[in-house]
Amino acid sequence: MTIPFETSRPLERLSGVRHGFFGRRGGVSTGPVFSSLNVSESSGDQLNHVAENRTQAAGILGFSPDALVTMKQVHSVTVLEVTRQPAPGERPEADAFVTNVRGLALGILTADCTPILFADHEAGVIGAAHAGWKGATGGIAEATVAAMVDLGARPERIIAAIGPTISAANYEVGPEFTADLLRAHPDAANRVTRPDGAREHFDLPGFVFDHLMNAGVGIVDDLGLCTYAEPKKYFSHRFATHHGTTTGRQISIIGLGGL
């Protein structure tokens, strides 16, 4: 089966940069929770299925399984520079990473949080970030840009793409969250809405977009894909919770070169 995935047109134009935003279709996992391209090793899925799903996702972009680098995501603002795949059992805790090493593929796992893929083609520097609300409001997007700059990138040359994530229409947060958000980020009022006068909703990808632009990123491409709205296409933690079940994770990958 061919594995479907989405791409960012601005990133597609960069020679030598390969990327893809994968959903839940095209893999080997079974059952209503994990079917079928679950890539989470901690979700309760069979690990051999997860390994095969990761292998297939990396392979369709031209990378070998041992070139795919992932991390233990903890909703932090920690960004790491990577030069190799960590040894088994040594996956670091972080929520973004950057590299200038050709042949490495950076993978971010999500199920409503915002995946961001970055590239400065001229500098040969890429990055990938996982932005849940904690990471986004803490500055994970800006921290990733800064880490890329440390490797020789320039913000105005960076292209950043926002992949499948929960949309404002489906992300109810309520008044307490909103008060805390606006206390820390008064300029984020435009990213809070009250549909039909109901409880507050938060536009997470819109917030990320604003902060990428404020960090000086040259092009920010939001694919406008909602995980909650398309549960057959994407894993969505909030959708699963609302229906009394659990879910897997999808992967977003970017790499320099390949096999």
Side-chain angles (χ1 to χ4, degrees), residues 45-114:
D45 194 3
Q46 295 183 47
L47 291 181
N48 63 316
H49 287 171
V50 173
E52 178 61 21
N53 289 337
R54 289 182 174 220
T55 294
Q56 290 189 20
I60 202 169
L61 295 178
F63 296 97
S64 62
D66 59 3
L68 178 61
V69 182
T70 59
M71 55 195 162
K72 184 178 180 182
Q73 298 170 188
V74 291
H75 296 277
S76 68
V77 293
T78 301
V79 184
L80 301 177
E81 178 189 348
V82 295
T83 57
R84 61 175 179 83
Q85 186 188 57
E90 295 182 2
R91 198 163 291 152
E93 292 188 354
D95 284 271
F97 40 13
V98 299
T99 191
N100 58 4
V101 177
R102 298 193 64 80
L104 282 184
L106 309 180
I108 293 293
L109 278 58
T110 58
D112 284 336
C113 294
T114 302

Side-chain angles (χ1 to χ4, degrees), residues 6-14 19 21 159 161 221 223:
E6 281 88 22
T7 58
S8 161
R9 288 186 178 180
L11 286 179
E12 276 185 339
R13 300 187 187 107
L14 304 181
H19 79 287
F21 294 100
I159 295 172
D221 181 27
L223 274 63

Side-chain angles (χ1 to χ4, degrees), residues 184-203:
H185 299 279
D187 59 346
N190 65 318
R191 297 306 182 182
V192 177
T193 57
R194 296 183 64 191
D196 300 320
R199 285 167 59 87
E200 292 85 350
H201 286 223
F202 179 44
D203 183 359

